[in-house]
Structure formats: structure tokens, C-alpha cells
Amino acid sequence: EVQLLESGGGLVKPGGSLRLSCAASGFTFSGSAMSWVRQAPGKGLEWVSSISAAGVSTHYADSVKGRLTISRDNSKNTLYLQMNSLRAEDTAVYYCTKSPGMVVVVYFDYWGQGTLVTVSS
Amino acid sequence: QSALTQPASVSGSPGQSITISCTGTSSDVGGYNYVSWYQQHPGKAPKLMIYDVSNRPSGVSNRFSGSKSGNTASLTISGLQAEDEADYHCSSYTSSSTVVFGGGTKLTVL
């Protein structure tokens, strides 16, 4: 059974940093591209960032480029999102997602339960 | 990248069919057969219902179907059931090698 377990969310002040983690199990982690998708309170889904299976290729939404960094450790079956220079508009539930392909992300076949990030003074 | 356009809400009675539209551009919906649909119940994570415009993952009811014409994709749910009441989100691959979502549609089963 595929499981994606996010952690690391919490309350942070504007301008602060946070690192999210996603522990994966039940599938070949090193064979799947992974992504982060977020959902602000009462809003729709927003794609944030994706990383290829080998970690060589990354993509970011314009709204987070230069502030958020996606990475992965295939030896630990873990996906990360380093979040710097956080803003109020980054407040959201962050979902870890898996895609069936290795490089190109076109859809998300499994989702974690999400971790809440709140940016407020 | 602008979000795809979905109606804010749709409704239908049990047993009826409803269709949710998802409109983009030639750089996303119209340019690729990579439209997907997700169902999200309150407080829960989204669940993949349709991928690559019209394919259903294993375990998803055949009451759910997807299609596309030009820059607009559609999700149809036939034989509406109370458990179908949820938010539905569409997404598409884009020419920038990114993914864009719609704003979401709240389905109410009357």
C-alpha cells in the first residue's frame, strides 16, 4: 500500500523558514517523480514544485521560485521542501504527491494527508 | 500560469447526471491529452478520479467519465449518489512543463 506521510508543518513568522518532509513507502520511491501541491484555507489546489525520480530535474511555480527548494533522498525514501522567506500567502496545507512517471509530472496518483503551514506574526 | 476555469458550484439530484467543465488554453488543456480530475471530501486529501482526459484508475466507479473538446475538458458523473458530494478539481500539464489546477467545483447532491 502506498503511503506518504508529511511532517514539519507549523506556525512561522513572516520571513522565517521551515522544512517539510515526506516519508514514502509501499512503492519504488527512486522510480517515481514527486511533487508538492498546496491548498490555502478555503481555496483550490495549487501546484508548487516537482522533482524527477533521480532528483536531477526540478520545476517550480512562479509564486515560489527562489524561495522554496524541493529535494529528495532516495536512500531514505524521503521528499523535502525547504521553505525560506515565507510570506502570509504561503499559508496552506501542503500535500506530498506521487506521480507514475520518472521525469515528467502530468498527474498525481497518490496524495499524503497534508501538513499545515501557517505564516503569521 | 493562470488557473483553469471551473464553475464554483454544480448540483443534481440522486440518480441524475451532472457535468463539470474545465476551461484552459492551447498551452495547457487544448495542447495536451494530460487532463486529470480529483475528488476531495471535506478535511480529506484529494483522490485521483480521471487521468489523461478519460482514463479511470483501478477502483474508481465507471459512473465517472472524462472528455475533452478544444480547450475545455469535462467530468461527467452519472447516477449521482450522496457520497459523490465533494469538491472536484481539474488539472492539466502545461507547455512550461508545469501543472496548473482549476479553482475547484463544489458538487451538491440535493
Side-chain angles (χ1 to χ4, degrees):
Chain A
E1 177 193 6
V2 172
Q3 289 194 338
L4 301 170
L5 185 61
E6 303 96 335
S7 61
L11 175 63
V12 61
K13 289 181 169 54
S17 298
L18 213 54
R19 189 174 87 152
L20 306 184
S21 299
C22 171
S25 60
F27 65 102
T28 304
F29 183 73
S30 60
S32 295
M34 301 291 292
S35 305
W36 291 96
V37 176
R38 69 185 181 183
Q39 186 171 34
K43 302 296 185 182
L45 300 172
E46 179 188 16
W47 170 81
V48 172
S49 180
S50 296
I51 186 168
S52 62
V56 173
S57 174
T58 58
H59 297 278
Y60 297 92
D62 288 343
S63 59
V64 307
K65 206 170 289 184
R67 300 187 300 116
L68 274 57
T69 303
I70 192 171
S71 63
R72 63 192 298 161
D73 185 337
N74 286 346
S75 69
K76 296 182 178 179
N77 286 357
T78 302
L79 177 72
Y80 302 101
L81 186 66
Q82 178 65 43
M83 310 172 73
N84 298 331
S85 302
L86 283 165
R87 307 167 179 168
E89 54 264 38
D90 294 317
T91 294
V93 173
Y94 285 74
Y95 292 102
C96 169
T97 68
K98 170 191 170 297
S99 291
M102 293 186 69
V103 177
V104 179
V105 172
V106 298
Y107 66 89
F108 314 100
D109 55 358
Y110 290 93
W111 297 62
Q113 285 305 302
T115 187
L116 177 62
V117 172
T118 303
V119 184
S120 174
S121 55
Chain B
Q1 183 71 49
S2 298
L4 306 177
T5 301
Q6 297 181 234
S9 63
V10 299
S11 63
S13 299
Q16 288 185 331
S17 294
I18 63 94
T19 297
I20 300 172
S21 62
C22 172
T23 301
T25 69
S26 58
S27 296
D28 39 63
V29 175
Y32 306 91
N33 288 323
Y34 291 140
V35 175
S36 54
W37 291 89
Y38 304 86
Q39 177 191 63
Q40 186 180 30
H41 287 109
K44 300 294 188 182
K47 173 188 175 184
L48 178 66
M49 304 301 283
I50 297 286
Y51 67 95
D52 294 351
V53 176
S54 60
N55 294 303
R56 278 188 310 276
S58 174
V60 171
S61 170
N62 59 10
R63 297 185 299 104
F64 291 83
S65 62
S67 63
K68 190 186 85 167
S69 177
N71 294 337
T72 298
S74 299
L75 172 71
T76 298
I77 308 174
S78 59
L80 265 182
Q81 300 179 0
E83 67 210 49
D84 299 332
E85 184 162 294
D87 292 331
Y88 291 85
H89 308 269
C90 66
S91 77
S92 175
Y93 180 73
T94 82
S95 59
S96 302
S97 300
T98 62
V99 173
V100 62
F101 283 95
T105 297
K106 180 177 179 60
L107 168 62
T108 300
V109 180
L110 302 170

